[in-house]
């Protein structure tokens, strides 16, 4: 009968919130280690024709595209709304 009491006490102890939190934390840390350090997270080398262009603009120019800067402000920009005056201005 001692085995029965031990199994009951272990099942009761595993239902404790602190033990559950430790189990969840352990599973989460193990999952993060697997995801972060798996073979799919290694740096991938690029072939020379891909690595030659560092920016999108350089690649576009090499392909023959014309790269133009954008307008600084939209011509249909809405007007700034008027603000209300301060309710209690501070006077020195």
């Amino acid at each position: 009968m001692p085995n029965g009491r031990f199994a009951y006490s272990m099942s009761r102890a595993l239902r404790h919130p602190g033990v559950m939190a430790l189990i969840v934390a352990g599973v989460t840390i193990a999952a993060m280690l697997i995801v972060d350090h798996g073979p799919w997270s290694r740096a991938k080398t690029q072939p020379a024709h891909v690595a030659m262009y560092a920016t999108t603009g350089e690649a576009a120019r090499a392909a023959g595209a014309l790269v133009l800067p954008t307008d600084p402000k939209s011509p249909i920009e809405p007007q700034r709304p008027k603000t209300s005056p301060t309710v209690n201005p501070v006077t020195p």
Side-chain angles (χ1 to χ4, degrees), residues 1-90:
M1 195 65 188
N3 266 349
R5 281 192 294 168
F6 178 74
Y8 174 74
S9 66
M10 283 302 293
S11 68
R12 190 164 176 225
L14 287 177
R15 285 184 287 185
H16 190 273
V19 175
M20 286 184 176
L22 287 174
I23 291 171
V24 169
V27 169
T28 304
I29 290 172
M32 285 178 15
L33 288 174
I34 290 170
V35 169
D36 288 344
H37 299 292
W40 48 84
S41 64
R42 301 283 184 255
K44 294 172 180 62
T45 58
Q46 297 177 339
H49 70 279
V50 174
M52 187 184 327
Y53 306 109
T55 64
T56 306
E58 289 177 7
R61 285 186 206 89
L66 184 62
V67 180
L68 299 173
T70 58
D71 294 331
K73 191 173 183 181
S74 173
I76 56 172
E77 187 78 25
Q79 295 295 326
R80 184 171 182 223
K82 294 180 180 178
T83 58
S84 62
T86 56
V87 178
N88 294 325
V90 178

